[in-house]
Amino acid sequence: MSMVLRIQLESDSDDVAPDDLGYLLDELEDIDAHCQELGVQALSEFVDYSDVEYNISEEDLDENWPAENAKWVSPTELLISIRALEAALSESGDNNEVLEELQIIGQRCKEAEENAVQVRLIAVM
């Protein structure tokens, strides 16, 4: 089963089709190591796995379970890690795919800050 990350804002309507951010999830362990080196919160700490848990659960969970267990985070806090990673990857010239996905998250976090809403960085199967 493959998984991707998606970023959602509390203010997103149901018809918003978020970008699939597959490179970030594939590189999450290395990204977290970069975060530690940079002295910022690990990206994995922001990831919401409720959708994955719902889909692999052997229990008969209610269809509202993922929404009720969603992990919403501050876009400002997430943006600190994102900006540090963007700067480090831009400087090194490594992993352009990851850099592009970080930029997508950064743009969405700025939008969330402007609208005073939280964000969800969701792992989706």
Side-chain angles (χ1 to χ4, degrees):
M1 281 183 255
S2 75
M3 292 192 304
V4 296
L5 288 177
R6 291 185 179 153
I7 186 161
Q8 177 184 12
L9 279 59
E10 279 181 313
S11 59
D12 283 348
S13 64
D14 290 338
D15 62 345
V16 170
D19 294 312
D20 287 345
L21 309 170
Y23 292 107
L24 282 176
L25 197 55
D26 289 343
E27 301 290 325
L28 197 53
E29 191 172 314
D30 289 338
I31 291 169
D32 281 352
H34 279 317
C35 287
Q36 186 173 7
E37 292 168 10
L38 296 166
V40 296
Q41 192 170 354
L43 192 61
S44 63
E45 293 179 24
F46 295 100
V47 177
D48 176 355
Y49 289 97
S50 60
D51 182 73
V52 174
E53 291 172 20
Y54 176 77
N55 284 311
I56 64 172
S57 176
E58 294 181 12
E59 296 178 40
D60 188 23
L61 299 174
D62 183 82
E63 66 184 39
N64 293 325
W65 191 91
E68 293 168 356
N69 291 277
K71 180 179 180 178
W72 293 95
V73 299
S74 161
T76 304
E77 290 178 20
L78 176 54
L79 204 49
I80 292 168
S81 295
I82 295 298
R83 292 296 184 231
L85 288 164
E86 283 179 329
L89 288 177
S90 292
E91 186 175 302
S92 70
D94 291 340
N95 217 332
N96 289 330
E97 293 88 0
V98 168
L99 182 57
E100 288 175 16
E101 291 185 358
L102 289 170
Q103 290 168 340
I104 291 169
I105 292 174
Q107 291 167 352
R108 296 288 283 155
C109 283
K110 289 301 288 178
E111 182 182 340
E113 281 184 322
E114 291 167 6
N115 293 307
V117 295
Q118 292 187 312
V119 297
R120 218 175 135 200
L121 192 57
I122 315 163
V124 180
M125 296 179 78

